[in-house]
Amino acid sequence: TAEIAERIETFWRPYHAKLAEAIAATHRRHGVAVIFDGHTIRSRVARFFTGQLSDLNLGTAKGASVAPDLGARVFDILEGSDYSAVRDERFTGGYITRTYGRPADGVNVLQLELTWRTYMDEGPPFAYLPDRAARLKTVLRAMVEDPGAPNNAFAAIEIFPDHSVAIRGNFRQDSYENLSKKSVTTISTSKTAEIKMPPPRLELGLT
């Protein structure tokens, strides 16, 4: 329909164009890129599946979207937590995982589907539960700040309707020297930085 076509042109294509740009920029700078695609879902959805989902559902397109050692390292962290965790079962990875994951070329994609119950009430009024969420964050942080990863740095990319991009992450202090000053409009000097970038260019600036 016309409405669907408009949504594709207004949201879907710009989103994926910006995502592809971010991946390419990261790969050019570091020779490797890792994309973490996060999703959440109710733990019980009868129309889709029977029973209750595991808490943490890692998808790697049956191993096709991520280098074997990286996929294994991430899953070891999830499986070693207090949460139930599975890999490539019900959720093996969606469009982003299947489309952008090219580990042979240095582009790795991991999808994590986590259940609502890990951080909120699954029934009305769907309250956010800070204590429960804080416990979950320790596991997620361990995953993206894996001590075995280069420079112990991570970034989360948020793409806005005006096609601008915000990158939030934990960077080593000396990483700031490598940020593109032309691209960064605001930056905090604390350990946790927020970088707001305009639409024309995207420089991740992670070392």
Side-chain angles (χ1 to χ4, degrees):
T1 66
E3 181 182 2
I4 292 174
E6 181 182 4
R7 289 179 181 178
I8 291 173
E9 294 302 320
T10 303
F11 302 107
W12 191 88
R13 292 193 191 282
Y15 175 88
H16 282 281
K18 188 60 68 174
L19 179 58
E21 182 183 345
I23 294 170
T26 305
H27 192 272
R28 283 195 303 271
R29 176 164 297 201
H30 306 289
V32 65
V34 180
I35 299 90
F36 171 61
D37 186 20
H39 300 253
T40 69
I41 189 172
R42 192 193 299 262
S43 62
R44 293 181 182 273
V45 185
R47 72 179 184 275
F48 292 146
F49 51 82
T50 58
Q52 181 171 282
L53 283 175
S54 297
D55 298 321
L56 308 175
N57 300 265
L58 183 67
T60 63
K62 299 293 186 180
S65 69
V66 66
D69 58 339
L70 178 59
R73 191 167 68 203
V74 169
F75 186 61
D76 282 348
I77 292 170
L78 301 182
E79 194 175 36
S81 72
D82 293 333
Y83 295 96
S84 56
V86 295
R87 177 178 176 180
D88 288 320
E89 291 196 359
R90 184 171 300 280
F91 298 98
T92 60
Y95 179 84
I96 289 176
T97 309
R98 298 191 306 270
T99 300
Y100 297 103
R102 303 185 307 276
D105 298 327
V107 180
N108 301 272
V109 184
L110 303 106
Q111 175 181 305
L112 183 65
E113 191 89 35
L114 58 88
T115 56
W116 290 1
R117 70 171 180 267
T118 58
Y119 66 96
M120 63 176 281
D121 281 332
E122 293 198 338
F126 303 102
Y128 176 71
L129 304 175
D131 291 344
R132 193 177 295 182
R135 176 171 165 256
L136 174 66
K137 287 177 183 179
T138 61
V139 177
L140 300 182
R141 186 170 295 278
M143 183 182 71
V144 296
E145 292 185 320
D146 177 6
N151 299 321
N152 193 26
F154 77 94
I157 301 171
E158 185 173 359
I159 303 174
F160 296 95
D162 67 354
H163 304 166
S164 64
V165 175
I167 301 177
R168 300 178 178 84
N170 181 359
F171 309 97
R172 295 192 335 179
Q173 187 63 37
D174 58 1
S175 298
Y176 296 121
E177 299 175 1
N178 298 309
L179 291 169
S180 170
K181 299 301 187 297
K182 293 182 180 179
S183 296
V184 178
T185 55
T186 62
I187 180 169
S188 122
T189 56
S190 63
K191 187 177 181 183
T192 300
E194 178 171 335
I195 309 164
K196 185 68 186 304
M197 296 180 175
R201 295 182 57 193
L202 180 62
E203 295 284 348
L204 294 186
L206 299 181
T207 61

